[in-house]
């Protein structure tokens, strides 16, 4: 087995660590190092880990750098060939780790592999954040095998084939570390949300594959750090999705997004307002304002990323997942990529 590690980035999630860390320790092979990287918590998380879980290594960051840059900094201190980036609210059953490492062992072109992500609260359902592997449509909207927009399917083994996907969830993502570092890790400016999709996109542009390995499964609570459907989540998802498109998309897709995305996003903002969520509407507006303010920087990053690209990414749906959903197709089955 390659030298491997599990790295949990924590921010004020003491209760989650106390709940889930014992299971991670019990069901992860003993030769795999387990780290908790503390992102400047104020709830005593790092002290608790050192006192209650002495076998776990701790990395202390002086402040909250966010998910993206927090992992970038923490992983500089981890000596491993493979690292599973694991959320603090994930339950790992027996046998979860080995299939991920085996997938990277078997094919040097696989840069990242992820387990099937199931709901901790409804264990026979997929979990929203990644289900059984993710894709995007032509305008950049993400969806999964097992989750289209807000519709989540029951897991009946219908997506249990290991296959190449466009992206895999950062809730549990096994990365080949030499590739992660070669590509500069996550986009630190994203702070949180969409950073794993951006990374998976760049991995593919560099000639690597991202795989979903459903023989490994984990259970995700979700919303452990940033509350679901919060204005912050809306803001980061919109801002970072636009940034990702500008950084990574080929010219045709980027132009289509420039022309159409403002219309669809402002329509979403209007719906939020009508439904009584003005803070969500304002979050969309703020996302666009910040995106425009960072356009020059993002364009410079795009030149570097696209200049180094040796192929286009696999798994972009040429249509609109939103229109498909509106016309009643709420499951992945029948959508071939």
């Amino acid at each position: 087995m390659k030298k491997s590690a599990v790295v949990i980035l924590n921010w004020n999630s003491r209760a989650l660590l106390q709940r889930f860390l014992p299971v991670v320790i019990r069901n992860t092979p003993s030769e795999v190092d387990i780290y908790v990287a503390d992102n400047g918590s104020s709830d005593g998380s790092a002290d608790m880990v050192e006192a209650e879980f002495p076998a776990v290594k701790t990395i202390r960051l002086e402040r909250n750098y966010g998910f993206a840059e927090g992992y970038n900094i923490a992983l500089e201190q981890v000596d491993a060939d493979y690292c599973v980036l694991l959320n603090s609210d994930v339950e790992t059953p027996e046998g979860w780790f080995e299939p991920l490492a085996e997938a990277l062992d078997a094919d040097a072109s696989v840069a990242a592999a992820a387990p099937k992500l199931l709901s901790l609260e409804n264990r026979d359902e997929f979990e929203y954040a990644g289900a059984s592997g993710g894709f995007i449509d032509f305008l950049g909207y993400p969806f999964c095998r097992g989750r289209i927009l807000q519709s989540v399917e029951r897991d009946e083994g219908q997506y249990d084939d290991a296959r190449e996907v466009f992206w895999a969830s950062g809730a549990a993502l096994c990365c080949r570390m030499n590739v992660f570092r070669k590509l500069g890790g996550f986009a630190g400016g994203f702070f949180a949300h969409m950073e794993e999709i951006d990374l998976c996109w760049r991995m593919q542009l560099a000639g690597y594959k991202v795989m979903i390995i459903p023989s490994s499964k984990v259970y995700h609570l979700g919303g452990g750090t940033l509350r679901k459907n919060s204005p912050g989540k809306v803001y980061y998802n919109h801002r970072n999705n636009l940034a990702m498109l500008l950084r990574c998309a080929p010219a045709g897709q980027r132009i289509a997004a420039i022309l159409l995305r403002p219309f669809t996003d402002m329509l979403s903002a209007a719906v939020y307002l009508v439904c009584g969520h003005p803070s969500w509407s304002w979050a969309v507006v703020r996302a666009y304002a910040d995106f425009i303010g960072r356009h020059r920087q993002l364009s410079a990053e795009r030149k570097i990323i696209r200049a180094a690209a040796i192929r286009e990414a696999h798994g972009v749906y040429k249509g609109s997942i939103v229109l498909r959903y509106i016309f009643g197709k709420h499951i992945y089955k029948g959508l071939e990529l």
Side-chain angles (χ1 to χ4, degrees):
M1 183 181 291
K2 296 282 189 179
K3 188 171 185 180
S4 303
V6 173
V7 183
I8 300 169
L9 187 68
N10 168 73
W11 182 68
N12 287 341
S13 298
R14 177 175 178 145
L16 293 176
L17 290 172
Q18 289 175 313
R19 176 180 177 184
F20 292 104
L21 193 51
V23 184
V24 176
I25 295 169
R26 182 169 66 248
N27 291 330
T28 301
S30 59
E31 64 270 24
V32 176
D33 293 327
I34 299 174
Y35 292 80
V36 169
D38 188 72
N39 223 351
S41 295
S42 58
D43 67 347
S45 299
D47 292 337
M48 181 276 296
V49 171
E50 291 179 348
E52 298 184 18
F53 305 100
V56 173
K57 301 179 180 182
T58 56
I59 298 171
R60 293 177 182 254
L61 307 183
E62 68 273 17
R63 62 180 176 84
N64 182 12
Y65 288 93
F67 186 95
E69 191 64 8
Y71 259 126
N72 288 344
I73 296 171
L75 291 174
E76 291 176 358
Q77 304 178 50
V78 175
D79 179 20
D81 300 301
Y82 304 157
C83 275
V84 177
L85 316 184
L86 189 70
N87 277 16
S88 59
D89 59 350
V90 171
E91 180 185 293
T92 54
E94 185 176 355
W96 76 281
F97 179 87
E98 292 86 345
L100 303 178
E102 289 166 4
L104 270 62
D105 284 342
D107 186 348
S109 70
V110 176
K116 178 167 63 174
L117 204 63
L118 299 172
S119 170
L120 184 70
E121 297 178 329
N122 301 293
R123 299 174 78 91
D124 61 346
E125 292 183 358
F126 290 106
E127 208 279 323
Y128 178 93
S132 193
F135 303 92
I136 65 169
D137 74 0
F138 200 64
L139 295 182
Y141 291 106
F143 60 97
C144 307
R145 296 198 305 170
R147 191 270 295 173
I148 305 292
L149 300 184
Q150 298 301 317
S151 293
V152 178
E153 298 178 46
R154 290 173 60 90
D155 174 28
E156 298 174 341
Q158 68 270 44
Y159 308 123
D160 272 358
D161 55 312
R163 60 162 293 176
E164 186 177 357
V165 293
F166 187 91
W167 63 272
S169 173
L173 185 63
C174 184
C175 291
R176 193 181 297 274
M177 290 311 297
N178 63 336
V179 177
F180 183 91
R181 293 186 173 111
K182 180 173 73 173
L183 297 179
F186 290 124
F190 279 33
F191 192 80
H193 293 295
M194 296 284 173
E195 69 288 316
E196 76 268 52
I197 306 181
D198 175 89
L199 174 65
C200 290
W201 199 336
R202 288 184 286 119
M203 285 176 169
Q204 292 187 78
L205 292 177
Y208 296 94
K209 293 185 289 190
V210 177
M211 298 289 295
I212 188 74
I213 310 296
S215 57
S216 169
K217 63 181 179 182
V218 298
Y219 296 90
H220 187 212
L221 178 61
T225 301
L226 189 59
R227 183 168 49 87
K228 296 178 182 178
N229 297 324
S230 67
K233 189 177 183 72
V234 172
Y235 164 75
Y236 284 122
N237 276 332
H238 278 82
R239 187 197 70 170
N240 294 346
N241 189 273
L242 292 167
M244 175 182 71
L245 284 167
L246 179 56
R247 281 161 50 90
C248 300
Q253 186 180 7
R254 179 169 56 93
I255 292 169
I258 289 172
L259 294 175
L260 297 176
R261 277 295 297 272
F263 172 77
T264 58
D265 288 342
M266 290 308 135
L267 182 61
S268 295
V271 170
Y272 293 151
L273 191 60
V274 170
C275 292
H277 299 291
S279 61
W280 298 6
S281 300
W282 179 239
V284 176
V285 174
R286 286 199 304 118
Y288 265 84
D290 285 2
F291 169 70
I292 292 170
R294 298 176 61 218
H295 190 274
R296 180 176 295 181
Q297 174 192 338
L298 293 169
S299 295
E301 293 170 1
R302 170 187 173 78
K303 289 180 181 179
I304 296 171
I305 293 168
R306 293 298 305 182
I310 63 175
R311 69 163 189 168
E312 291 302 336
H314 163 85
V316 177
Y317 176 49
K318 301 305 181 186
S320 167
I321 200 67
V322 176
L323 287 178
R324 189 177 184 274
Y325 189 88
I326 289 172
F327 285 103
K329 297 182 178 180
H330 296 173
I331 64 173
Y332 177 85
K333 186 177 180 180
L335 197 164
E336 294 302 326
L337 296 170

